[in-house]
Amino acid sequence: MSARVKTKIEKLRTELERHSRLYYVEARPEISDLEFDKLLKELEQLEQKHPEYDSPDSPTKKVGGEPISGFETVDHRVPMLSIDNVYDEAGVIEFDKRVRKLLPDQKLHYTVEYKIDGVALALLYVDGELKRGVTRGNGEQGDDITHNARTVGGVPLRLAGKNPPKELEIRGEAYIGNADFAKLVAEQEQRGEQPYANSRNAAAGALKLLDPKLCAKRKIRFIAHGVGYYDHDFKTHQKYLASLAKMGVPVTPNVEAFETIESALERAHVLAEDIHSLDFEVDGIVIKVDEFSLRDQLGSRGKSPRWVIAYKWERYEAATKVNSITVQVGKTGTLTPVAELDPVQIAGTTVARSSLHNWDEIHRLGVQVGDHVIVEKAGKIIPHVVRVEEHLRDGTEKPFPQPTECPECAADVTQDEGGVYLRCVNPQCPAQLRETLRYFASREGMDIDGLGIKLVEQLLEADLLRSIPDLYRLSSKREEILQLERMGEKSVDKLLAGIEQSKAQPLWRLLTSLNIRHVGASSARLLADRFGTMDELQSQDETAIADVDEIGPVIAHSVHSFFASEVGKTLIDELRELGLNFGEPVEKTESGANSGVLAGKTVVVTGKLSELDRNGAKELIHQHGGRASGSVSKNTDYLVAGEKAGSKLSKAEEYGVKVLTEREFLDLIGESPKTP
């Protein structure tokens, strides 16, 4: 019995380590997070029953041990220096001139890689076992956070392979992935907590927690990009990264080496174009001398090495003034304060408004009407107020009071229990209906051609719309619509045709559009893929819905509550009678997986297509069981390449990914071109 238990424990550890490597290092997971957690739980229970088989490098140790009482300050054996920054190509060229002046007649290469916006972390391995994790600190000394480093995703407790270096200090970035950070913020908002300003702050705060179990909950990950002390002959940066990958350590992606600074700059531009496909924040490109021996010759100056430069983006922020604060009412009744700003240019676009999210955020910032503020674009897209320039106040500024009634219908407002959001309690609030219909018809929803917010407002004003189903009854009110301003025969025909065509939209689009709290396009697609039809989904209990990978209890409760409510039942019954697409039963293989010619395949679409639009191609991929991805990797199965395919085509050829023309893709799935 004892031998069998030991064998089972060792087998589970090996299996879990393999899946961790597939997930964090090779980016080609074979099982879901739920399946991984089940294996981990099984191992944890066995280890608790049989403590004689405990091991410090067991995968169960990554979930966190006992809290510590405080941090110990330790010296860095090799100082963790900062990197000099430049903000234009001229600065990069000047860097190259300095390097070549110090290394005359030397043949050298430059590596080019992303500058990950995370928290610097140094990991010391002795004989392959993780002994210490240390923060950067002041560069000479840092805090020992080994208890938290052990919980970080991608940090192996023991290096893979035989004969690891006697001592090796791996340096890199601890970060929270964009998708995980979005979930973290959503969970905070649900609990009524102040959301983190950015993922870097959230990661930094987690690493300084005394309880490692709390740190583990933030799903921090690690990417290696540098080295401290080592007693191994790695020769070059590229060979070092390749060695780390073999040891089971995730490394900074897409690193290449070039003989000239001009080629390195060209590569930097290619990497910059692909930033949108990454799941972590990037604030620049790092260019390094590849050869370690030449780095030693170049040495350092002050607090930065001479062999590396960071080519950073300009900061996306500007100063402006808050002219007023208005309140928007959303489709779920949420009241959102919005700062109306003096128009200002940020990253090439004019910003005149910025959400203040909720009144807790207004209080945290201390923002008042008339204040001068700093606004930046989060992720280079969404503007938000960073801080108030209090030293510029002249006494004319006025606080903005928290409303006690809805600005649209004057109904009472309530605050979410345990939350921060105010909501209008009137289900007939015209603002809620307006926003619900706007979103239902939008490109993110049912994509109804010709139905924009102005027309929605006109139809509401004329009392032609009182609910979502009323949209599909407008065909009988053609004459009334013709009486509206700027609505001629062609406009009305276009509107009614667009509404009729939307009936055939796939189930996931309908689910996205129904105003179910916490359900967006991605979760709607997961639900549609799992259950196939609206009726099948409506019949499920919370447990079955929560069992869908990446759905969880919060979304499951919201979905189940919607279908169980009288409002939800009535809405679904009316839409069924009106002939909307309620999906098709899911065909499954014997193993239970969805069937289809692309089942289990990852497909990337790039370039300009002639017969399909990009969204239509992605929808066809999903319809035939595949997964549509935005970036090419070694686990990509097909690249569908249109005109001007660019860097993704080159990467696919490099990885040996099968490249399909648009026509070959359509032939493969047996489809005529269509746009859903």
Side-chain angles (χ1 to χ4, degrees), residues 136-167:
R136 180 197 296 276
N138 62 11
E140 298 290 336
Q141 295 178 316
D143 289 330
D144 184 338
I145 57 162
T146 308
H147 65 299
N148 284 332
R150 295 174 68 87
T151 73
V152 172
V155 172
L157 302 183
R158 176 172 290 277
L159 298 176
K162 298 179 180 179
N163 303 317
K166 180 69 177 176
E167 288 188 78

Side-chain angles (χ1 to χ4, degrees), residues 437 440-442 445-449 451 459 464-477 481 495-506 509-510 513-514 571 574-582:
L437 291 168
F440 188 90
S442 70
M446 296 293 275
D447 196 13
I448 299 177
D449 193 20
L451 185 56
L459 292 167
L464 295 175
L465 286 180
R466 294 185 179 181
S467 66
I468 289 174
D470 280 349
L471 282 171
Y472 296 95
R473 301 183 180 111
L474 287 176
S475 57
S476 65
K477 300 180 180 180
I481 302 173
L495 169 66
L496 296 179
I499 292 173
E500 184 64 27
Q501 290 169 6
S502 74
K503 290 181 178 181
Q505 289 284 22
R509 278 191 174 274
L510 180 56
S513 307
L514 289 180
L571 176 57
E574 289 188 55
L575 294 178
R576 182 186 291 106
E577 291 177 6
L578 290 163
L580 273 74
N581 176 21
F582 272 28

Side-chain angles (χ1 to χ4, degrees), residues 96-104 106 297-299 306:
D96 174 61
K97 290 179 180 178
R98 293 196 301 269
V99 168
R100 295 191 183 277
K101 183 176 181 180
L102 293 169
L103 298 173
Q106 287 272 21
Q297 291 184 45
L298 289 166
R306 291 191 179 95

